[in-house]
Amino acid sequence: MAETLFDLPLVLLSNRGPLTFDRDSSGRTVSRGSGGLVSALAGLAEHLDDHVWVCGAASEEDAAVARENTDGRVAVQMHPFPHVVEGDPDGPALRVRIVETDPAAYADFYGVWSNPILWFIQHGLYGRTLSPVLTQSDHTAFESGYAAVNLAYADAVVDEVRARGGKAVVLLQDYHFYLVAEHVRRQCPDVVLTHFIHIPWPSADDWRILPPAIRERLLYGLLGSDVVGFHTRRYATHFVQSVQELLGLPVDLDELTITVGDRTVRARYYPISVDPAALDSVAGSAEVVEYAATLEQFFRDEGRQLVVRVDRTDPSKNVVRGFLAFGALLDQHPELVGRVGFLALLQPSRTDVTEYADYIALVGAVVAEINARHTKDGRQPIDLRMVEDFPLAVAAYKVCDVLMVSAIADGMNLVAKEVAVVNQRDGVLALSENVGAHEELGEFAVTLHPFDIQQMAEALYEALTMPAPDRHRRMQAAGEQVRTYDVARWLNDQIDDLRRLAGFV
Ligand code: G6P
């Protein structure tokens, strides 16, 4: 499908690129970005003759690579392992342009505005009584950080579009770049542009946390797109309502369209998913099989049951309340003490953001308290590991009896989908109603209400005591759903819409 996409070149933009450079004792190393997004977009782009993936320099070594190459352009092959190719690549290759920005500006862009401010607003994490407190320094950081870095990336995109005659399909990714589309549209009116947002889009009232001048710029920035994409209909609807309420533009809430001058901007939803074939192969690898055997032996001996959670340490994941609910379950069902273990694999995330560091400290304290209360025969109920180890996570997915996803809000939550593909124990998904995946998988899951500890404890009990045929039916159906709506489908649906817009069908 890829070669005949649009008869137009493709320009992608994301903050983190498909690969990261680093340095160890042997010299420069290069590794592939993790996750379904990289697989899907890299898989698409590397088969197109004319494409470029614009991204930020995420490490010192990325910046060094950007400086060594004209305009930060490098060609890389992803298979069998990622490597830079000099000259004309033989076979599929990715064209990457790494943009290096001023470190102080980048710090304000990433560490002040993207995370936490935009991230916190979009995940509903601000308490409002005392936070956020926006000061002069945040206003300055918006201009000299978020806006300046957006402009630098937008200039790189414009440069790439112009180098291709001013016409291209442009795919922008995520909340880092709300000001890019408008700039690109002004400079290159012939682009076909989608901005996909991977995190929730909250209601208009939540956006009122931001000063009017800033929220209006963010919204007008996004309206430079032809399509603004989300994971769920709810987020797409919120977006159109935000534009209606905060900008006063005419909208159609059934069609999810917005009129901006003589243009129509469409809000669409495309639920992102996983690559089942890739997951199957990881799940079948020797490393995962060995890990799974060890986990079985350690956690599931003598008929014990295993609850698993795998999350980044983002406060939005609601790990603290999740553990409190597990503690309440053990308080209320003492017969389960010593019979149920909880393995939590938490991947450190954005450790330089204060709110994250504080949250991780709290997680540790809560776990220590519950373990002290419920240790039996030398066995602690919660095994908390701060690791990023994908094979170990997949092994846990395979053997768990219950997966807990208790997020306060999450754009999609791919962990739930990964478990649905690889689980071998007819595990039960215990899924927060506030994650995008609940729209697709909720009917096969037990629903968690992420602020209600008692409800979550009861839902965990229901999951752990669910009759085998019921568990089997639900997990089968969830697996089928994810295998049908996989990541290729996510991308193809967007491409089909763009082709229609660009007049190719
Ligand atoms: C989460 C979001 C993604 C986002 C990513 C950025 O996973 O769901 O949409 O791209 O965070 O993470 P980073 O580590 O680059 O800040």
Side-chain angles (χ1 to χ4, degrees), residues 140 180 197 220 226 339 350 365 388 396 462:
T140 307
V180 169
I197 296 166
Y220 274 118
D226 294 298
R339 308 293 310 155
R350 305 175 191 156
E388 177 148 20
E462 183 192 342

Side-chain angles (χ1 to χ4, degrees), residues 15-16 110 115 119 174-176 198-199 312 350:
N15 182 43
R16 287 206 195 238
Y110 184 79
N115 318 304
W119 175 277
D174 240 344
Y175 55 98
H176 310 89
H198 293 262
I199 61 175
R312 291 167 53 128
R350 305 175 191 156

Side-chain angles (χ1 to χ4, degrees), residues 10-272:
L10 176 68
V11 179
L12 288 165
L13 172 68
S14 64
N15 182 43
R16 287 206 195 238
L19 67 171
T20 307
F21 295 92
D22 236 313
R23 188 161 275 283
D24 65 15
S25 51
S26 64
R28 179 168 288 161
T29 61
V30 49
S31 56
R32 184 181 193 287
S34 59
L37 182 69
V38 168
S39 311
L41 294 180
L44 168 76
E46 67 187 355
H47 291 103
L48 293 174
D49 287 342
D50 197 358
H51 75 269
V52 61
W53 188 327
V54 180
C55 59
S59 67
E60 276 293 310
E61 205 59 22
D62 282 359
V65 173
R67 265 174 255 138
E68 285 162 24
N69 292 277
T70 315
D71 291 330
R73 291 190 179 111
V74 285
V76 293
Q77 285 183 316
M78 301 297 269
H79 311 286
F81 50 85
H83 59 284
V84 173
V85 276
E86 309 292 343
D88 264 345
D90 178 20
L94 266 188
R95 307 277 174 181
V96 180
R97 173 170 178 159
I98 305 172
V99 180
E100 188 193 3
T101 45
D102 169 59
Y106 189 87
D108 284 345
F109 154 80
Y110 184 79
V112 176
W113 272 89
S114 300
N115 318 304
I117 298 179
L118 294 176
W119 175 277
F120 271 49
I121 288 176
Q122 294 194 232
H123 288 83
L125 295 181
Y126 281 129
R128 299 199 192 197
T129 322
L130 292 173
S131 67
V133 179
L134 299 176
T135 62
Q136 174 62 37
S137 118
D138 296 304
H139 283 266
T140 307
F142 185 80
E143 293 307 333
S144 58
Y146 192 82
V149 170
N150 267 248
L151 195 62
Y153 283 73
D155 282 342
V157 170
V158 166
D159 200 27
E160 294 293 341
V161 174
R162 286 194 174 141
R164 290 164 171 82
K167 277 193 170 191
V169 170
V170 178
L171 301 184
L172 309 178
Q173 305 298 314
D174 240 344
Y175 55 98
H176 310 89
F177 298 124
Y178 290 157
L179 303 179
V180 169
E182 187 187 27
H183 183 79
V184 172
R185 164 89 40 212
R186 216 177 303 121
Q187 308 293 316
C188 309
D190 293 333
V191 289
V192 183
L193 198 155
T194 288
H195 191 138
F196 193 90
I197 296 166
H198 293 262
I199 61 175
W201 191 275
S203 70
D205 279 347
D206 292 313
W207 286 103
R208 290 186 192 275
I209 288 175
L210 289 181
I214 291 183
R215 68 192 188 220
E216 284 166 19
R217 271 170 75 186
L218 296 175
L219 287 169
Y220 274 118
L222 273 166
L223 293 175
S225 317
D226 294 298
V227 175
V228 185
F230 300 90
H231 289 309
T232 67
R233 178 162 184 107
R234 182 155 65 109
Y235 307 150
T237 305
H238 281 166
F239 174 70
V240 176
Q241 285 167 336
S242 307
V243 169
Q244 182 183 38
E245 284 186 33
L246 301 172
L247 301 182
L249 292 180
V251 306
D252 182 327
L253 276 163
D254 294 319
E255 293 295 318
L256 296 176
T257 54
I258 299 156
T259 307
V260 192
D262 57 358
R263 296 171 49 241
T264 300
V265 177
R266 291 162 174 80
R268 288 278 181 273
Y269 52 103
Y270 314 97
I272 200 168

